[in-house]
Amino acid sequence: HAETAPQARRQVIVPLLCVVLAAFETQRAAYAASAAARSAGRAFVTAPDQGSGYARAREAVRLAYADQRLDAAPDVRITCRPDPRNCLTPGSVVRAEIHSAVDLPLMPSVFGSRTPSIRVDAEHEAPYGTFREARP
C-alpha cells in the first residue's frame, strides 16, 4: 500500500499540471489577442492612408503577440463602417478582429499529429472621429 500512494499522487498531479499549463497558455493568448485588437484599431485610425493603415495594423498585432512571447500568426480582419472603401473619414468606425488558437500543452500522442487547441478571439472598435478632418 505504501507504493500505491506516490503512484496515485502522480496520476493526479500530471493531469492537474496539464490543466494549469493550458489555463496559463490560454490566458496569455487571450491577453495578446485583446491587446492586438486594440492596438490594430488604433494603428489603423492613426495611419495617413488606408493602405498603410492595414500594414500598421498587422505590425501592431505582430508586436502584441511578440510581447507575450507567442509565435502564433493570428488571423487579422479589419473592417469599417459606414463605407468600407473609405475608412478614414469623419464618423467612420474601424473594427479589428483577431482570431487565433492555442495548442494545449503536454497532450499525449493519442490524439495523433493534430494537437488539440482552444480558439481565442478578440475584437475592438476604434472610431475615426466625427470632428476630425478627412484624410486625403
Side-chain angles (χ1 to χ4, degrees):
H1 297 297
E3 290 183 27
T4 59
Q7 185 179 13
R9 277 191 225 119
R10 274 194 299 267
Q11 289 176 346
V12 171
I13 290 176
V14 171
L16 182 62
L17 179 63
C18 290
V19 169
V20 169
L21 288 176
F24 285 142
E25 287 298 307
T26 303
Q27 180 61 35
R28 187 167 65 141
Y31 183 77
S34 176
R38 193 171 48 253
S39 297
R42 290 176 182 166
F44 193 97
V45 298
T46 59
D49 57 66
Q50 258 184 241
S52 61
Y54 291 111
R56 282 183 176 196
R58 282 190 299 276
E59 181 61 15
V61 169
R62 188 192 67 74
L63 289 172
Y65 272 74
D67 188 45
Q68 292 299 314
R69 294 187 180 105
L70 294 171
D71 296 329
D75 293 328
V76 180
R77 184 171 179 226
I78 304 289
T79 58
C80 59
R81 62 178 201 275
D83 182 4
R85 294 163 302 178
N86 201 0
C87 295
L88 301 178
T89 58
S92 290
V93 176
V94 174
R95 180 184 180 95
E97 297 177 24
I98 308 298
H99 305 284
S100 62
V102 179
D103 290 339
L104 297 177
L106 304 175
M107 283 292 120
S109 60
V110 72
F111 294 110
S113 62
R114 239 184 120 157
T115 304
S117 62
I118 296 174
R119 187 172 170 87
V120 177
D121 300 324
E123 57 190 49
H124 178 78
E125 289 189 346
Y128 183 72
T130 304
F131 303 105
R132 291 180 71 168
E133 187 176 319
R135 299 276 170 97

